Amino acid sequence: MTTVNPQRRRRLRRLTAGAVTLAATVGVLSAAIPAGAESATGGDGRGGHSQGRTVDVQLLSFNDFHGNLEPPPGSSGEVSREKPDGSKETVSAGGAEYLATSLRKARKGNPYSVTAAAGDLVGASPLISGLFHDEPTIEAFNKMDLDVTSVGNHEFDEGRTELERLQKGGCHPEDGCSEDGKVFQGSDFPYLAANVTDEKTKRPILKPYTVWKKKGVKIGFIGVTLEGTPDIVSEDGVKGLKFHDEIKTVNKYANELQKKGVKSIVALIHEGGLPESPEYNYDCDSPGPGDGISGPITDIAKGISPKVDALVTGHTHEAYACTIPDPSGNPRTVTSASSFGKLYTDTTLTYDRRTHDIVRTGVESANHVVSRKQHKAKDMTSLIKRWAKLADPIADKPIGYISDDIKGSAAKTPETPLGDLIGDAQLEFMAPEDKGGAQLALMNPGGIRADLVHKASDGEGDGVVTYGEGFTVQPFTNMMAAIDLTGKQLVTALQQQVSGANEKSPKILQVSEGFSYTLDMTKSGKDRVVTDSVKLDGKALDPDKTYRVAMNEFLAGGNDGFPAFKDGKDKLIGKSDLEALEGYLGEHSSKTDPLKPPKADRIKVVEK
């Protein structure tokens, strides 16, 4: 998902100072041959034919964990599924204690099992991980025996040097060691960055691929992030780096692996799709292969060489297990396991010992819930308690009170109550003349990472918003900015929400009170914004008049597909967005008078 400028080093100093193919009638939701099982034509006790020709390899995968060591709160920690009778149910899921248990259970009885991830394991993380530069999450995945992962866009939040430190270890160059007397050891698993090269040397900054081997079985893994990473990460995070086309990169290294005798290949791609239904067991191969999924991954899958046997994807935080035809027209499995460790994917790869390739008709895949009704992994519980103890003095501080859940992305609407709240907080924060003189505020939706949940997550009491919960909502600690934009530039920015880079997947800016307009989704591109409906404090926007607009520095830099903001004049930089939220909650809520969720009625949406 999108990100914002982290400014992590400044933040930490402040805080420290302050305290596949499947039969069409079956679909991809069940596997006729369990991973690791003997062939139906006779077994040799090693999980293969009587001649020992094939062996079933279990591929466990997930994506977009984002440092969620503790179970995600509220709707952020829920997945939905369709029951056999056609009804829908919501299930609480996720958290490192349960993900570790799920993976370990799944591996039992499977002598050939490999675990892989498709990026964004870290970044935009809750305080327990983000405060410590995500070292706790890397440590957790070491203990879970993760074998390999691709980079995602969030792996670049703190820049190349920090990504390399997460891989190789060592204490933070400015903040030092997170724990006294302990040096961070780095990841036991390789990060793969095939399509990210150094602008000067032209070479990948990390390994482009790795080969997993066991008892003669060899499977190559190629890892890439989305080519558009520079558009959704701060400029400092990608300085000196070049991001290349996903298809061309994967095909290049698939050829290289084949020349080295590795014919079984899996691509780990931090780019994803959008299934037509949110249920994790939705059959996106109905009525035909891949018919129920759209988005960037569909074109990528259709362009990647048939030499690649399966695609593990991410970025969109969606759940799917589909088959999308490769360039030869043959179905190929493409999977994603939602986000935050709520699901994992179990894929069976039938490996032919004679050809050293995957038997495509033997590839089967399904997503599984990381249930919170199972026992917790003790080593994860111990890890969480250790890091939580270090974070608690900061995390437990109350910063406000709410009367009910205030939903962000969980609202599943273009405008959200939490988006309104953040917009109002930023406007109030930047409105004084000496702090920017803002007349309205705009917030990018990808910078809102969670909901504010009324139910107590620990012992703070229902309705209490802690600093840790506020940090989970806005974990990047972006600096606020105020810029001059003409009415015409403002309208252009609104049009960029639904056109250009954002046309296929709109990014609807959250707006402060007093700013309103109509979004007509029956139209296409920039025409979706009804220009004569755009108003500030009830008055139509004057295209020639200059308005003072507050937004985070990431957005002001033209990121997330909003180049219009780069033309803003007279920029003034304020304090952090999290300070704005903290100040607003402190000013507008109390134990006896908690803040009510905003109505989210500023953007009128005309539906198709």
Side-chain angles (χ1 to χ4, degrees):
M1 300 296 284
T2 53
T3 183
V4 282
N5 183 7
Q7 300 288 343
R8 294 284 184 94
R9 290 192 289 256
R10 277 188 276 175
R11 180 207 68 217
L12 190 56
R13 287 197 294 272
R14 285 197 302 272
L15 294 180
T16 303
V20 207
T21 300
L22 292 179
T25 55
V26 178
V28 295
L29 302 179
S30 63
I33 306 173
E38 298 177 0
S39 167
T41 59
D44 61 359
R46 297 183 312 220
H49 286 160
S50 56
Q51 301 298 317
R53 176 157 180 176
T54 65
V55 61
D56 284 346
V57 178
Q58 179 190 57
L59 171 61
L60 302 178
S61 59
F62 53 90
N63 50 277
D64 296 275
F65 186 76
H66 291 290
N68 277 264
L69 297 172
E70 298 175 302
S75 57
S76 297
E78 295 176 342
V79 292
S80 62
R81 65 183 171 200
E82 183 174 346
K83 298 168 69 175
D85 62 3
S87 63
K88 308 292 195 310
E89 72 172 337
T90 300
V91 182
S92 295
E97 295 161 300
Y98 303 108
L99 179 59
T101 296
S102 291
L103 294 176
R104 289 163 183 169
K105 282 182 178 179
R107 291 176 187 140
K108 289 182 178 180
N110 294 284
Y112 295 86
S113 183
V114 57
T115 304
D120 276 9
L121 299 185
V122 300
S125 305
L127 193 70
I128 189 175
S129 186
L131 182 61
F132 307 106
H133 301 282
D134 282 309
E135 292 175 19
T137 295
I138 298 298
E139 181 184 346
F141 284 125
N142 286 344
K143 292 179 181 293
M144 287 189 220
D145 296 320
L146 179 62
D147 289 295
V148 59
T149 185
S150 67
V151 294
N153 54 286
H154 280 282
E155 265 79 21
F156 293 92
D157 280 352
E158 296 192 54
R160 170 183 179 175
T161 300
E162 178 63 6
L163 171 57
E164 291 174 342
R165 187 183 75 89
L166 290 180
Q167 176 80 89
K168 299 174 182 178
C171 295
H172 193 275
E174 293 189 20
D175 296 320
C177 298
S178 296
E179 296 180 285
D180 290 340
K182 291 185 179 181
V183 177
F184 174 59
Q185 296 301 303
S187 64
D188 293 342
F189 50 89
Y191 262 109
L192 304 181
N195 68 329
V196 187
T197 59
D198 184 290
E199 286 185 343
K200 293 181 179 179
T201 67
K202 313 299 184 185
R203 301 180 63 181
I205 62 169
L206 295 173
K207 294 173 63 173
Y209 59 79
T210 191
V211 180
W212 178 84
K213 302 177 182 178
K214 187 167 185 179
K215 296 181 180 179
V217 174
K218 294 189 296 184
I219 298 178
F221 288 88
I222 303 168
V224 298
T225 185
L226 70 155
E227 184 182 8
T229 291
D231 298 327
I232 53 176
V233 174
S234 68
E235 186 176 349
D236 287 343
V238 296
K239 187 176 182 180
L241 304 178
K242 186 170 179 59
F243 292 75
H244 301 269
D245 180 85
E246 304 95 334
I247 297 173
K248 291 179 180 178
T249 302
V250 172
N251 289 350
K252 171 186 174 181
Y253 288 109
N255 289 334
E256 186 171 316
L257 281 167
Q258 290 251 318
K259 289 177 182 178
K260 291 184 175 182
V262 180
K263 297 182 180 180
S264 298
I265 302 172
V266 175
L268 308 175
I269 304 175
H270 191 72
E271 180 61 289
L274 302 168
E276 291 184 6
S277 173
E279 281 69 48
Y280 75 84
N281 58 348
Y282 164 66
D283 182 4
C284 51
D285 281 348
S286 177
D291 285 349
I293 186 171
S294 59
I297 200 60
T298 57
D299 289 336
I300 292 173
K302 291 174 183 177
I304 285 179
S305 168
K307 294 174 183 177
V308 176
D309 299 295
L311 278 59
V312 176
T313 73
H315 188 55
T316 56
H317 290 203
E318 299 289 347
Y320 48 85
C322 304
T323 57
I324 298 176
D326 67 18
S328 297
N330 296 318
R332 177 170 51 194
T333 186
V334 181
T335 68
S336 175
S338 185
S339 62
F340 304 163
K342 294 179 289 188
L343 300 175
Y344 72 91
T345 311
D346 191 336
T347 301
T348 302
L349 301 172
T350 299
Y351 182 92
D352 190 318
R353 291 183 181 276
R354 188 175 301 174
T355 65
H356 307 294
D357 205 350
I358 299 300
V359 181
R360 284 281 197 94
T361 54
V363 177
E364 306 192 10
S365 190
N367 278 321
H368 301 275
V369 177
V370 176
S371 171
R372 296 185 197 169
K373 293 183 179 180
Q374 60 189 324
H375 73 268
K376 298 178 181 180
K378 292 181 180 180
D379 57 341
M380 292 297 112
T381 301
S382 177
L383 180 148
I384 289 170
K385 286 182 177 179
R386 191 177 96 243
W387 288 102
K389 185 176 181 181
L390 294 174
D392 279 350
I394 297 169
D396 291 345
K397 173 190 171 185
I399 62 171
Y401 303 86
I402 55 177
S403 65
D404 202 348
D405 289 353
I406 303 182
K407 292 186 177 182
S409 59
K412 302 297 182 183
T413 53
E415 179 187 1
T416 69
L418 187 52
D420 284 2
L421 168 59
I422 290 172
D424 292 346
Q426 294 183 353
L427 174 58
E428 185 169 293
F429 195 61
M430 299 295 287
E433 287 299 322
D434 62 338
K435 293 184 178 180
Q439 297 167 273
L440 68 142
L442 302 172
M443 175 64 188
N444 57 312
I448 304 173
R449 307 303 300 189
D451 305 332
L452 285 178
V453 179
H454 182 264
K455 184 178 180 180
S457 59
D458 203 350
E460 78 273 13
D462 290 349
V464 179
V465 179
T466 65
Y467 185 89
E469 291 167 340
F471 184 96
T472 298
V473 169
Q474 292 189 272
F476 303 103
T477 318
N478 253 306
M479 297 301 107
M480 289 301 302
I483 59 176
D484 283 346
L485 292 170
T486 65
K488 182 179 180 180
Q489 288 173 320
L490 260 173
V491 170
T492 297
L494 293 180
Q495 291 172 336
Q496 288 170 351
Q497 300 175 112
V498 289
S499 63
N502 294 326
E503 183 163 3
K504 291 184 178 179
S505 183
K507 292 187 178 75
I508 306 304
L509 297 169
Q510 305 300 286
V511 302
S512 57
E513 188 173 10
F515 191 70
S516 62
Y517 69 96
T518 297
L519 195 62
D520 187 349
M521 299 306 288
T522 66
K523 297 181 180 179
S524 61
K526 64 181 183 180
D527 291 337
R528 290 170 170 172
V529 175
V530 181
T531 55
D532 59 5
S533 71
V534 184
K535 296 180 180 180
L536 177 62
D537 296 328
K539 296 180 181 179
L541 216 60
D542 184 338
D544 298 318
K545 184 178 178 180
T546 296
Y547 297 88
R548 198 73 174 145
V549 187
M551 63 188 70
N552 61 55
E553 232 185 327
F554 173 79
L555 200 54
N559 294 294
D560 260 3
F562 293 96
F565 293 137
K566 294 175 70 174
D567 297 327
K569 305 294 184 182
D570 196 19
K571 182 187 290 186
L572 185 146
I573 303 299
K575 295 183 179 180
S576 78
D577 54 2
L578 186 53
E579 289 177 82
L581 178 63
E582 182 180 8
Y584 188 84
L585 288 170
E587 182 69 25
H588 295 277
S589 69
S590 66
K591 285 184 179 180
T592 56
D593 188 19
L595 188 70
K596 297 178 181 178
K599 295 180 179 179
D601 57 359
R602 300 164 190 179
I603 303 173
K604 181 181 178 181
V605 181
V606 179
E607 299 288 356
K608 290 184 179 181

